[in-house]
Amino acid sequence: MPKTKLQNGNDFSGQKFYVGLDVHKKSWAVTIRSLGIEVSHFSQDPGAERLDAYLQREFPGGDYYSAYEAGFCGTEAHGQLCKLGIKNIIVHAADIPTTDKQKKNKTDLHDSRALADHLERGNLKGIYVLNQDQQELRSLFRMTESKVIDVTRANNRLKSFLMYYSIKLPETISKNEFLSGKALAWLNIELGSSPGTFTLQQYIEELKYQRKQLFQITKSLRLQIQSLHKETYTNLLTVPGIGAITAMGLLVEIADFSRFEAPDKYASFLGLCPWEDSSGPVIKTKGVQPRCNGHCVHYW
């Protein structure tokens, strides 16, 4: 029987090791494969340094590849692993080939094993990872989206309160769904009791606060965009149908437009591609693909 490098003591130079990681807040499930066999499986405390120390101790000189699913843990582990020389990718969970049996018997052990196995077979493709600064800019933009929801809720709560107590605004200041500054000023009125008046004023103050927050966040976002992506931002504004918010959304979510190899891949990222479910002579189309960047798709 021919000997493998796994039998040659500590000589692992040039040998490839594939590490499947199931990353959680309190622990990492780790499976390591090499030469078509599983050579190690264990659970460890979170941290790329601990994993690297284990690999260097048990398999010194090897070439290390790893993968974990995209999720709440973000990309910090990815950056740490890459800095330590471990070639890591982050994988979209839906892109991991899974059988029905595996779906019905899902554990951390099985997840890490599946990742290591498919990584070794070359079945996994990593997602595009933005740098830290771009991710933070994206978080600022997504905060504006959340704040718009907060403003809408505060507006609707106040309108619901007014409807319940039959408080009607004059037609001269009530022309759309969102209460204007004039409408809020007019609502500085006394109700039949102090609790009612206090409740009304609290709804008004909440709406004013949320609008102020949205204004400050949007202003900060625009300043950052013009500082970091001024030329691209200006060019996007020249495209018919693209306004300031859409341009900022595209810039923070995409960052580098050149990362798309072809126009159809860019369209797929935005969700602008058909969703087809055909079989034999039956052709079914279901509109645009549900798999896309949800923060961009609602602009189109």
Side-chain angles (χ1 to χ4, degrees):
M1 176 179 178
K3 293 182 65 176
T4 68
K5 290 188 177 181
L6 290 175
Q7 298 169 305
N8 291 339
N10 291 328
D11 181 17
F12 298 103
S13 57
Q15 183 169 324
K16 295 181 178 180
F17 292 86
Y18 300 92
V19 185
L21 300 173
D22 194 45
V23 178
H24 292 280
K25 180 179 179 180
K26 296 183 178 180
S27 65
W28 287 8
V30 181
T31 298
I32 305 173
R33 294 181 60 87
S34 184
L35 303 177
I37 60 176
E38 182 177 313
V39 297
S40 183
H41 173 75
F42 58 93
S43 180
Q44 66 162 57
D45 292 334
E49 295 83 2
R50 292 184 177 87
L51 176 61
D52 181 63
Y54 178 87
L55 292 172
Q56 297 294 344
R57 182 178 68 251
E58 299 297 327
F59 313 108
D63 294 331
Y64 312 123
Y65 300 82
S66 65
Y68 67 87
E69 292 182 12
F72 77 98
C73 58
T75 62
E76 180 65 21
H78 170 76
Q80 293 176 354
L81 290 165
C82 291
K83 286 181 180 179
L84 292 169
I86 301 174
K87 303 173 185 65
N88 184 75
I89 60 173
I90 302 177
V91 185
H92 192 298
D95 288 342
I96 303 173
T98 307
T99 65
D100 183 67
K101 181 178 180 180
Q102 291 172 328
K103 291 180 181 179
K104 291 180 171 59
N105 190 17
K106 188 177 184 301
T107 65
D108 294 349
L109 168 61
H110 293 156
D111 288 346
S112 66
R113 276 180 171 167
L115 281 166
D117 181 41
H118 289 300
L119 182 62
E120 185 176 25
R121 294 172 183 267
N123 295 335
L124 301 181
K125 182 178 180 180
I127 63 173
Y128 184 86
V129 180
L130 301 174
N131 61 47
Q132 183 71 20
D133 291 342
Q134 186 67 28
Q135 289 185 54
E136 293 175 2
L137 183 62
R138 183 181 63 184
S139 294
L140 179 60
F141 173 76
R142 292 183 178 181
M143 180 181 284
T144 65
E145 294 181 317
S146 299
K147 191 55 62 175
V148 168
I149 295 174
D150 293 338
V151 170
T152 303
R153 285 175 176 169
N155 183 81
N156 291 342
R157 285 170 184 157
L158 177 54
K159 290 185 66 177
S160 178
F161 180 86
L162 299 178
M163 181 66 70
Y164 186 85
Y165 289 103
S166 300
I167 302 174
K168 296 183 179 181
L169 294 166
E171 293 183 1
T172 55
I173 61 174
S174 178
K175 296 182 179 180
N176 52 47
E177 296 181 3
F178 291 95
L179 297 170
S180 64
K182 291 182 178 180
L184 297 182
W186 185 89
L187 286 171
N188 188 23
I189 58 178
E190 297 286 336
L191 298 188
S193 66
S194 57
T197 302
F198 179 79
T199 303
L200 174 60
Q201 295 306 316
Q202 289 302 305
Y203 277 128
I204 293 173
E205 292 302 318
E206 173 67 13
L207 179 54
K208 288 181 178 179
Y209 170 77
Q210 296 296 350
R211 284 180 174 173
K212 182 179 179 181
Q213 288 280 295
L214 177 59
F215 172 79
Q216 292 175 340
I217 295 170
T218 305
K219 180 180 178 181
S220 176
L221 176 63
R222 184 175 283 106
L223 290 174
Q224 293 295 327
I225 289 291
Q226 291 177 341
S227 173
L228 300 173
H229 304 283
K230 183 177 181 179
E231 183 178 356
T232 308
Y233 177 68
T234 303
N235 291 338
L236 282 172
L237 292 178
T238 65
V239 179
I242 294 184
I245 299 298
T246 301
M248 290 190 291
L250 291 173
L251 281 171
V252 299
E253 296 293 337
I254 296 173
D256 182 12
F257 287 85
S258 64
R259 66 186 173 101
F260 298 104
E261 299 174 359
D264 58 338
K265 293 188 177 181
Y266 175 57
S268 177
F269 178 84
L270 297 176
L272 299 176
C273 58
W275 180 13
E276 185 174 344
D277 183 15
S278 301
S279 179
V282 180
I283 299 177
K284 296 180 182 178
T285 56
K286 301 181 179 180
V288 299
Q289 284 271 7
R291 175 171 171 170
C292 58
N293 185 304
H295 297 275
C296 288
V297 68
H298 63 271
Y299 294 122
W300 304 99

